[in-house]
Each structure stands twice: as structure tokens, then as C-alpha cells.
Amino acid sequence: MRIPCPRCQAFVVPGAQSCAWCGTSLLQPATPGASDPVCAIHPELLSLQACARCGNFACAQCLRKGPRDEPLCATCHDRVPADALPWDRREELGTLRAYFQTCQAVALRPTATFERARPEGSVGSSLGFAALSNLAAYFTTALFYLAVVFAIPAAMTEIDNVSQSGFRLVAAGVFGVVMVAAPVMGMLVALINAALDHLVFRLQRTGRPFEVTLRANTLSLAPYLLGVIPFCGMYIAPMWALALRVIAYRSLHRTSWGTAALGALAVPLLTFGLCFGGYAVVALVGAVAGIGK
């Protein structure tokens, strides 16, 4: 489906209120008495495209993308049931199987998966996905370190007057703490990140509720399953998840690429800028103090 902007002719995303390239509002007022097609729901606005199912004209506010990439009006779009992700069918599939299948679909087919996924989901369901993702991200690496500790010969610990059994007990305790803390901290971080991203969306005046932002944010953590490969998840998964978050926000929020990218990247970029700026200030102050001496 290719819908051109009336001003710059760049292709626009159905549901967007303005062109992501030139900024022109897509909600163009109709001229009374003119022959231009107008929206069937909002006759005061010009039509952007006709619905492929019912044939009614739809403005930018009413236009949606169908499952086969066809233009649909809001009424026809709402009649098309959204697909349930495997995670939404965990009572049928089992939690671990549903989690694995969802990670596979999101990581390997993100655009198709998010385009047909239900935007809404309960807070508990989203946080549960975040908890499992963070557990997967750290489990194998933590287990590897525990195995290394248990493999240390007793002679090496006795050199430092350390009991081997006591050393192993402490290592096992640290492993247990990490296994409990990882999912808990993962849920907390997901809540905070989603809240900050949702604030950015609110500033852009998007109308989707917080549950949609949280669901998109946590589903984008699917690459954390790479954590089953020791030391792999912590380096590759975060960047992969950030890219998936843009796709998830665009599809589930039914918004443009620009709005989705800003919602996903604004907080990380601002955080990076503040940290970099803080380090730069500390380095500058240190350098000035050194010159003064």
C-alpha cells in the first residue's frame, strides 16, 4: 500500500496525522461544494484513500493498514481480528513453549509479527515476559561462573586460607541472588523504561494507553533469549532489542516510523548524552585543577 503525501509525495503510514518527511498535516479540510472526495466519517476532511473492503473514503484519521497491506477504514479494520501471539496462548501451549515461539517470531519476523499482534495486553502478562527474558539473559552466564568456581582446586583456595566448601557456598548464594534479582530488576526496568517512552509518546500526542507501550517494550526483549549462549546476550541482545522496539512501537501504536523511533530512542540517547556530558565536565574540571597546580 503506497499512499503519497499531498504535498511532497513521500509515502505515509496509515494512521499518521502528519507526513514524517515534510511535516504537512494529513488532515486536510474539505472545500464546501468541491468535487474532491471527503471522508465518510469526517465529511469536513478530505479523503486520503478509499477503503479496499467497503469502498468508503477515509481521511488520515480513519485510515488503517490491513493484514494484506491493503488500505482499510477504521470500521473495517476493527472487524478483522488481530492474531494472538503464542505468549497470549500460554495456557494452551505452556509458558516456556509460548515464550520460545514468541521470541522466535519477534526476533526473526518482527514486522509481520507486530503488524498482526494485538496492541493491548495486561500489565502482568507484559511483566511476565520481561521477567523470563531477563532470567534467560543472565542464567547461562551466571551458571558458567558458578561452574568455574566449583572447578577451582582446593589447593588454590587453601593458599589464601579460604575454605573450599565455604567459597563454593558463597558462590552458590550469589548465583541464587542473581537468579532472583534478574527477573525482578528486569520487570522494574521495563516499567520505568516504558513509562519514560510513554511520556515521549504523550508529548507527541499519541492516543494509545500505557499498556500498549509496556507490551511493545517488553516484547522487544525477545533477543534476550540469546543469553542462553554465555556472554552473548549481554552484548548483542540490548542493541537488537532497541531496534525491535522501534518496529514494535510503530505497529502497536499505529504510528509513523519517525514517531516510533523518537519514542524508542529519545530516552537512551538523552541518558547517553547526560552521562557523556557528565564525564566531560569531570574531565574538564580535573584538567583545569591540574593546570592550576
Side-chain angles (χ1 to χ4, degrees):
M1 175 176 55
R2 295 178 175 270
I3 303 174
C5 167
R7 179 180 179 183
C8 69
Q9 299 304 304
F11 297 128
V12 298
V13 177
Q17 305 294 305
S18 60
C19 176
W21 293 96
C22 67
T24 298
S25 175
L26 300 176
L27 300 175
Q28 298 291 323
T31 302
S35 59
D36 297 323
V38 297
C39 177
I41 304 299
H42 305 97
E44 71 277 8
L45 298 175
L46 288 175
S47 168
L48 193 62
Q49 190 84 358
C51 175
R53 175 167 297 187
C54 68
N56 286 336
F57 291 110
C59 65
Q61 187 175 346
C62 297
L63 202 61
R64 303 288 188 270
K65 180 190 287 189
R68 292 179 297 277
D69 208 34
E70 74 276 22
L72 295 178
C73 65
T75 302
C76 291
H77 182 270
D78 291 342
R79 291 173 183 165
V80 179
D83 290 338
L85 291 174
W87 182 248
D88 299 325
R89 301 163 49 212
R90 54 191 178 277
E91 290 186 1
E92 169 192 348
L93 300 174
T95 300
L96 293 182
R97 183 182 177 188
Y99 173 74
F100 177 78
Q101 290 184 1
T102 302
C103 289
Q104 188 179 37
V106 169
L108 302 181
R109 302 181 301 276
T111 302
T113 299
F114 286 128
E115 283 290 347
R116 293 293 301 135
R118 296 171 182 167
E120 296 81 11
S122 68
V123 172
S125 172
S126 298
L127 293 182
F129 192 88
L132 276 179
S133 297
N134 281 271
L135 186 62
Y138 293 100
F139 176 77
T140 308
T141 300
L143 188 63
F144 174 82
Y145 279 121
L146 181 64
V148 169
V149 170
F150 272 72
I152 296 175
M156 294 183 63
T157 58
E158 290 173 358
I159 295 176
D160 297 322
N161 295 322
V162 176
S163 168
Q164 185 186 46
S165 59
F167 189 51
R168 290 179 173 179
L169 183 61
V170 170
V174 172
F175 175 80
V177 170
V178 170
M179 291 301 96
V180 173
V184 173
M185 291 300 298
M187 290 188 291
L188 181 61
V189 170
L191 271 174
I192 295 174
N193 285 343
L196 294 174
D197 290 350
H198 193 68
L199 176 61
V200 175
F201 280 121
R202 283 299 184 188
L203 293 175
Q204 299 181 83
R205 298 186 178 182
T206 57
R208 292 285 179 172
F210 172 71
E211 288 78 9
V212 175
T213 305
L214 180 62
R215 178 173 168 87
N217 186 288
T218 55
L219 287 175
S220 68
L221 299 177
Y224 278 42
L225 184 61
L226 284 175
V228 298
I229 305 173
F231 309 106
C232 182
M234 65 179 66
Y235 296 110
I236 300 176
M239 298 305 297
W240 193 350
L242 195 59
L244 290 178
R245 195 161 300 154
V246 177
I247 302 174
Y249 282 160
R250 173 186 174 269
S251 298
L252 299 190
H253 269 280
R254 306 290 191 255
T255 187
S256 65
W257 282 110
T259 301
L262 186 60
L265 303 177
V267 174
L269 291 177
L270 180 60
T271 302
F272 175 79
L274 291 176
C275 292
F276 181 80
Y279 282 123
V281 170
V282 171
L284 181 61
V285 171
V288 171
I291 294 174
K293 292 181 179 180

